Amino acid sequence: MSPQSNCSATEPGLQIVADISSGELVGEGIQRVTRAIKDMKGIFRDEKSRQSLSQDAVVYRVQAVYPVGEGEEGGLFWGTTFIEPGMVGDEYFMTKGHFHANRHRGEYYMTVTGRGALILMDENRRTTFEPMHPGSLHYIRANTAHRVANIGESVLAFWACWPSDAGHDYDSIASLGFSARLRKVNGIATLVEEP
Ligand code: 6PG
Ligand code: NI
C-alpha cells in the first residue's frame, strides 16, 4: 500500500495520545486519581513506618479514559499507572490492589518504563508474581487479585486495559490482604508468605 494512500479519519476517535516513552496520556477527558502515603493506611505491613513518612508524598497516580459509563457492559477502559520509587519498611511502594467486583473479568497490563512486580492472587489465595520491565505484557485472569510494586529506582509506568463492567473490590483486600507480601530481603524482592 502506498504510504500516501487516501485515508482520512472521518469520525473523531478518542483524541488521546499515549506517550510511548513515559506512558503519559495526553488529550481531552482524562480522569486522574492520586494515592499519597496518607491514603494507604492498612496496606503496608509496617504501619509505623508509613506514619513516619511525609503524608502527602505521592505513592502512585492513575490516568484513565472511560469512553462509556463505568459499569456499562461491552466497553473497554484504558489507563496508565505511575508508581514512584520508595519503600514503607521493607515493602516497595505499590498499588492498593483489588479483585474486580465482577470476578469474571480479566485485564491486560503492559509495562512502559521502570522495573516492577505484578503480584497476583487466585481464588484459592495462591499468590505469585511476574517481573515487569519495559514491554512486558501481562494477562490478568478473571478471579485474580492484582497489585503492582515498583522494585526499581525510577518511576514505574504501566498501561492497563480492562472491561467497563469490571469494577473494583478493594474491601476483600483491605480485610484479608494478599496471602504473601513482596518484601526486600537482603536487597532482593522476595515474596514472603503472611503468617
Ligand atoms: C483497574 C486496573 C488499574 C488499577 C491501578 C491502580 O482495574 O482499574 O487494574 O487501573 O486500578 O493500577 O491500582 P488500584 O486500583 O489497586 O489502586
Ligand atoms: Ni484491575
Side-chain angles (χ1 to χ4, degrees):
M1 191 193 294
S2 143
Q4 287 169 1
S5 65
N6 187 9
C7 169
S8 61
T10 49
E11 289 288 325
L14 271 185
Q15 314 257 339
I16 284 172
V17 171
D19 185 309
I20 57 169
S21 55
S22 67
E24 206 82 33
L25 302 185
V26 182
E28 294 289 307
I30 296 160
Q31 313 269 323
R32 294 178 164 80
V33 175
T34 298
R35 303 275 182 225
I37 288 288
K38 61 171 181 269
D39 305 312
M40 299 294 282
K41 191 165 187 278
I43 299 293
F44 297 98
R45 199 173 65 94
D46 189 344
E47 176 58 16
K48 278 216 176 84
S49 290
R50 189 194 67 85
Q51 284 172 7
S52 72
L53 296 172
S54 163
Q55 294 301 294
D56 289 326
V58 171
V59 179
Y60 64 101
R61 60 196 175 88
V62 182
Q63 302 173 334
V65 278
Y66 302 97
V68 300
E70 276 215 84
E72 214 172 284
E73 203 179 313
L76 290 168
F77 297 150
W78 183 271
T80 313
T81 302
F82 305 88
I83 310 178
E84 296 296 322
M87 305 289 299
V88 178
D90 65 2
E91 277 181 286
Y92 306 87
F93 276 14
M94 62 184 178
T95 58
K96 289 185 171 188
H98 58 271
F99 282 98
H100 289 149
N102 181 344
R103 290 289 202 275
H104 303 292
R105 293 293 179 268
E107 183 166 5
Y108 270 114
Y109 279 2
M110 195 202 88
T111 314
V112 179
T113 185
R115 276 200 319 127
L118 169 60
I119 303 160
L120 300 165
M121 181 175 72
D122 69 18
E123 66 268 48
N124 300 315
R125 295 190 56 75
R126 199 178 80 90
T127 302
T128 55
F129 80 92
E130 297 179 1
M132 298 173 77
H133 49 84
S136 66
L137 187 65
H138 306 270
Y139 175 58
I140 301 167
R141 290 175 187 281
N143 273 303
T144 306
H146 41 289
R147 154 182 284 172
V148 173
N150 181 349
I151 65 169
E153 255 118 63
S154 56
V155 172
L156 170 72
F158 64 91
W159 282 328
C161 182
W162 67 101
S164 49
D165 62 351
H168 300 91
D169 168 15
Y170 293 104
D171 291 349
S172 302
I173 299 304
S175 57
L176 287 173
F178 281 65
S179 65
R181 288 178 177 278
L182 195 72
R183 293 163 60 180
K184 194 173 193 172
V185 182
N186 299 324
I188 295 167
T190 310
L191 205 53
V192 181
E193 294 285 325
E194 285 282 86

